[in-house]
Amino acid sequence: VNSAVIFILRHPEPEKIVHVYSHPITELLMTAPAVLVEYFNMLLLPWYVGPTHPTLWVRHPSLALYVPVAVLIVLAVAATHLVRRSREPRIYIFSAIWFGLALAPALNFNQIVTLVQDRYLYTPTFGWCLALAAATVEIALLWPRARRVLAGAIAILLVTNAGAAFHAEWYWHDEIEYN
């Protein structure tokens, strides 16, 4: 917020700031939820990575706006509930802030080629992994019988992520494969 205020105050022609984007502000605001859901989709379903993603501009209110907004609201409510019940909520708050700040540059839609790109998730993934690891440890401490189930789930997650990384690597193997 401070950066935005300073930018506006120091900009030589503040009235032209609104016209920086090639899309109206309403389209930017309606498209942002779909983009965020697409990034969460890549985190939750690692085999979904690839060079292109089907996220398009949302130009008018429709299901393309309402469904992502509903998904984000459900995720926010669930996360808030889980953080409040946690023994150590600060690690989850830190993880969420890390994720949000690291993903923020990807939400500058005027500076990117496509709306969603895998490379913008490299740094935010740390926040996701930290929260997932903290939740796993917390569950294992609360329910010792769940440790074997958690170990199996982590093993499946690791194998799935390794397979997804191996699959995605072929897209960038060389220029011929990518094109």
Side-chain angles (χ1 to χ4, degrees), residues 49-156:
V49 298
T52 60
H53 297 278
T55 306
L56 302 173
W57 284 97
V58 178
R59 300 192 187 282
H60 52 82
S62 65
L63 283 178
L65 169 65
Y66 301 131
V67 171
V69 167
V71 168
L72 291 175
I73 289 171
V74 167
L75 286 174
V77 168
T80 302
H81 177 71
L82 292 173
V83 167
R84 286 185 177 186
R85 295 189 69 207
S86 172
R87 291 180 182 181
E88 190 58 49
R90 291 179 298 169
I91 195 160
Y92 300 108
I93 293 168
F94 172 80
S95 297
I97 290 170
W98 179 283
F99 182 82
L101 289 177
L103 191 61
L107 299 178
N108 183 5
F109 300 140
N110 199 42
Q111 302 296 320
I112 56 178
V113 178
T114 60
L115 290 174
V116 178
Q117 296 182 31
D118 296 345
R119 64 190 176 108
Y120 289 122
L121 269 185
Y122 295 156
T123 305
T125 299
F126 170 75
W128 167 254
C129 291
L130 182 63
L132 192 61
T136 303
V137 168
E138 195 164 341
I139 292 169
L141 291 173
L142 288 174
W143 298 296
R145 291 185 177 180
R147 289 180 182 170
R148 287 188 183 184
V149 174
L150 287 171
I154 291 170
I156 290 169

